[in-house]
Amino acid sequence: MIQVCLNGRRGADASAAVPLSPEALARSAAEAVAAGATDIHVHPRTPCGQDTLSPRVVAATLTAIRAAVRVPVGVTTGVWAEPDPVRRVERVRAWTVLPDHASVDWHEPGAEELAAALLERGVGVEAVLRSGTEGHRLFRRSPRASEVARVLAGVTDTDPATATGSARLLLAEIGTAHGRPVLLHGEEGGAWPVAALAFRLGLGTRIGAEDVTVLPDGRPARSNAELVAAAVRLRQAAAAA
């Protein structure tokens, strides 16, 4: 599995690969799927570029992307989109168009309640367990752990020399993940080494402008599709090794 993370919290000034409007996100999603992505993660944005869980903006974003692709589409629910845990749950319960899944950072306040609200609405939950947080410990104790769609193991170590070691440590901390599938990914300088490790271990990964804006050789990526195509080549290399 290769999930494409289309935009994250980056602005247009960060890279030519970052789409922002629903229409630009839809075009980028279609190109990324054509390049080999099988799942989409997106941060819905207000017209002024702020992350949001607004029902109106989420609906517009999902509708545009689904008109362009036929793969699952998920959204963020992080504190950057709505810092108040109670308000975050209220927003989710007010959504008029539902994503296929939503990521929940398990170390954030209110994660259990947020996951419960998503599951009650029939939205799949991606449990985000980030290195350097208590996420893995909280997830191991969670009564909702066995209900999530998958675990996103996020490596926050951006040093390419040490990121894979940090990834292996995180996987050891996560353990069996309650039997859920694990998607392993890194960010910035650690993105490509961790993606290569994920493929060698037979795990899914994600790539896209949210996590990294350069190709494995350091050249700036022109699009999410170019990043996905590079990940596909990494997967092929791992399979041939």
Side-chain angles (χ1 to χ4, degrees), residues 1-4 33 37-41 71-74 101 126 150:
M1 174 184 180
I2 297 176
Q3 180 185 80
V4 61
V33 169
T38 55
D39 193 274
I40 292 167
H41 173 77
V71 302
V73 184
H101 51 78
E126 294 180 316
R150 60 179 160 260

Side-chain angles (χ1 to χ4, degrees), residues 63-171:
T63 299
I65 293 174
R66 284 177 171 150
V69 300
R70 294 293 183 268
V71 302
V73 184
V75 301
T76 184
T77 63
V79 293
W80 46 84
E82 175 51 66
D84 184 339
V86 174
R87 180 65 172 155
R88 204 177 316 156
V89 170
E90 291 173 350
R91 288 284 205 176
V92 164
R93 288 181 172 150
W95 283 348
T96 56
V97 177
L98 297 177
D100 296 286
H101 51 78
S103 59
V104 176
D105 283 75
W106 226 260
H107 67 280
E108 292 181 351
E112 293 281 350
E113 294 78 9
L114 178 58
L118 290 163
L119 291 167
E120 287 165 8
R121 299 215 63 192
V123 177
V125 171
E126 294 180 316
V128 181
L129 309 183
R130 298 188 190 276
S131 60
T133 73
E134 293 294 305
H136 63 281
R137 293 186 180 88
L138 296 170
F139 184 72
R140 280 203 300 269
R141 301 195 299 266
S142 171
R144 295 286 181 176
S146 63
E147 300 177 64
V148 307
R150 60 179 160 260
V151 166
L152 264 64
V155 180
T156 57
D157 182 354
T158 60
D159 186 337
T162 58
T164 55
S166 297
R168 291 184 183 278
L169 175 59
L170 177 60
L171 291 173

Side-chain angles (χ1 to χ4, degrees), residues 18 20-21 32 48 62 94 100 105 110 122 130-131 143 146 159 201 216 224:
V18 181
L20 297 177
S21 70
C48 61
L62 291 174
D100 296 286
D105 283 75
R130 298 188 190 276
S131 60
S146 63
D159 186 337
L201 296 177
N224 278 301

Side-chain angles (χ1 to χ4, degrees), residues 5-15 18-20 25 41-45 48-52 76-82 105 107-108 128 130 156 187-188 206 208-213:
C5 47
L6 295 174
N7 57 348
R9 289 179 280 169
R10 295 189 197 271
D13 57 338
S15 168
V18 181
L20 297 177
L25 288 164
H41 173 77
V42 63
H43 287 215
R45 299 282 193 86
C48 61
Q50 298 298 311
D51 279 29
T52 182
T76 184
T77 63
V79 293
W80 46 84
E82 175 51 66
D105 283 75
H107 67 280
E108 292 181 351
V128 181
R130 298 188 190 276
T156 57
E187 56 188 56
E188 306 301 355
R206 85 174 195 185
E210 174 174 354
D211 289 343
V212 66
T213 58

Side-chain angles (χ1 to χ4, degrees), residues 196-212:
L197 175 65
F199 291 135
R200 292 198 299 272
L201 296 177
L203 302 175
T205 196
R206 85 174 195 185
I207 207 73
E210 174 174 354
D211 289 343
V212 66

